[in-house]
Amino acid sequence: MRKRTKAREHALKMLYGVDITKDDCATCMERFWKDNEELDEETKKFANSIVIGVTKNRDALDKIISECATNWQLKRMAVVDRNILRFAAYELLYSKDIPPKVAINEAIDIAKKYGDADSGKFVNGILDKINKTKTERDAL
């Protein structure tokens, strides 16, 4: 498995922890890495950057996800799906070095692995809408 894919999966696990426990980002990251010390620094650094970026921009990300998730309330989404959408939306909107296609495809693959049977389609539909909205905003 590629390092960035592994980092995204670890970021999902940490974001899930933040969402479920309501602990702060630093506490969840520290707890996670204490149990996963064998990873290389590059993977840890990328995962941490995602978690910190999502946490700092969570309100804006949640607003955009809510606007693009027609007929879905954020709080009613599965915790896994919600956090995949958050990190992928973060990559789409704030990470200029990650192509949109990569961010979306990685999120779909992770949703298929960690979510339920329909998670991949659900995540794809919302991220596609976020990406189109982003592209339209960039054109203005």
Side-chain angles (χ1 to χ4, degrees):
M1 181 180 297
R2 295 178 316 182
K3 288 182 180 185
R4 285 199 163 194
T5 300
K6 192 73 169 164
R8 286 180 180 96
E9 289 183 4
H10 290 316
L12 170 63
K13 293 172 186 177
M14 287 184 274
L15 291 168
Y16 183 94
V18 170
D19 210 356
I20 292 296
T21 65
K22 307 298 183 213
D23 288 342
D24 63 86
C25 168
T27 301
C28 287
M29 287 171 47
E30 182 180 328
R31 187 178 325 134
F32 181 82
W33 291 123
K34 190 175 184 181
D35 295 333
N36 294 282
E37 293 176 353
E38 77 283 350
L39 293 171
D40 66 281
E41 286 304 311
E42 185 182 341
T43 302
K44 285 182 180 181
K45 184 177 176 182
F46 186 64
N48 287 344
S49 71
I50 292 170
V51 174
I52 292 167
V54 168
T55 302
K56 285 183 179 179
N57 297 287
R58 186 170 160 175
D59 290 340
L61 293 169
D62 285 356
K63 183 176 187 266
I64 291 166
I65 293 166
S66 294
E67 289 170 358
C68 293
T70 311
N71 301 322
W72 277 95
Q73 292 179 341
L74 200 65
K75 65 183 178 188
R76 302 233 18 223
M77 291 179 190
V79 178
V80 169
D81 294 350
R82 178 171 57 232
N83 284 292
I84 291 170
L85 288 169
R86 284 175 176 153
F87 81 69
Y90 171 76
E91 288 186 347
L92 285 171
L93 300 169
Y94 297 96
S95 298
K96 304 299 182 205
D97 63 323
I98 299 171
K101 186 174 182 176
V102 171
I104 293 169
N105 287 339
E106 287 277 311
I108 293 167
D109 289 343
I110 292 170
K112 288 177 181 176
K113 182 174 180 178
Y114 290 96
D116 66 23
D118 294 324
S119 291
K121 292 180 214 169
F122 179 72
V123 165
N124 182 36
I126 295 172
L127 292 178
D128 186 52
K129 205 170 197 181
I130 290 170
N131 189 46
K132 286 178 182 170
T133 304
K134 173 189 148 305
T135 305
E136 289 168 6
R137 278 192 300 241
D138 291 347
L140 296 177

